[in-house]
Amino acid sequence: MFVTKTLLWIAIAGTVLSFPNIALVYGAHQWTEAVFGFGARSIAFVDAAASSPFVQLSMVPLLTLTAYYAPPGHRATWFALMASLMNIALVASQLQTKFSMTSSWWAQPIRRARSAVDLGVALAFIIPVTAIVLFGKRAVTHPKLKHD
């Protein structure tokens, strides 16, 4: 039960932390610059500073699950392997973001960008929450696994 609650809160926090990105796509930076005196760069900087530790912390429950369900005698190996794969995924995500922002083919209409961001945030919330609701109890209390 603790694991499912933790994963649920990670999904909720990830969704909430994506709100500044949605606001930037919809032009909130223009309003904040006119009213408060800070624009898109300040919002992006604060967003990156706030969400970066949560990305690292969100790996902890998944690594815990990996170590918990790994075969006895191989837990450290599986833990290290999953930590390496998660770090590779984080770096790939950063590279993909940098590539998509610097490439010339990215100049698309704002409508497509808005719908893509909205869809991405919605899916990033709906898919994990659905998996937690459907498989949460079964994943935590798996009868065939013996743990030391």
Side-chain angles (χ1 to χ4, degrees):
M1 189 62 125
F2 175 73
V3 173
T4 55
K5 284 184 179 180
T6 303
L7 292 175
L8 179 67
W9 280 109
I10 288 172
I12 291 170
T15 303
V16 170
L17 288 173
S18 66
F19 288 161
N21 294 327
I22 295 172
L24 287 174
V25 169
Y26 282 101
H29 59 283
Q30 296 165 347
W31 178 77
T32 58
E33 182 133 27
V35 175
F36 299 115
F38 61 88
R41 288 184 184 198
S42 299
I43 293 171
F45 179 75
V46 171
D47 177 53
S51 64
S52 180
F54 288 108
V55 171
Q56 295 294 331
L57 286 175
S58 68
M59 292 174 29
V60 173
L62 299 175
L63 291 173
T64 304
L65 285 174
T66 300
Y68 186 76
Y69 287 113
H74 299 284
R75 290 186 177 155
T77 304
W78 282 45
F79 184 90
L81 178 66
M82 286 304 296
S84 298
L85 291 175
M86 287 182 178
N87 282 325
I88 289 171
L90 286 174
V91 171
S93 172
Q94 293 169 350
L95 288 174
Q96 183 270 332
T97 301
K98 183 176 181 178
F99 174 73
S100 66
M101 295 302 168
T102 59
S103 63
S104 61
W105 60 268
W106 185 250
Q108 297 177 4
I110 295 297
R111 190 173 7 161
R112 287 186 193 168
R114 288 179 180 173
S115 63
V117 169
D118 293 343
L119 179 64
V121 170
L123 289 177
F125 178 74
I126 292 170
I127 292 173
V129 170
T130 303
I132 289 168
V133 169
L134 292 177
F135 305 114
K137 290 182 182 178
R138 184 170 47 167
V140 174
T141 58
H142 198 284
K144 292 183 181 179
L145 295 175
K146 295 181 181 177
H147 302 285
D148 296 335

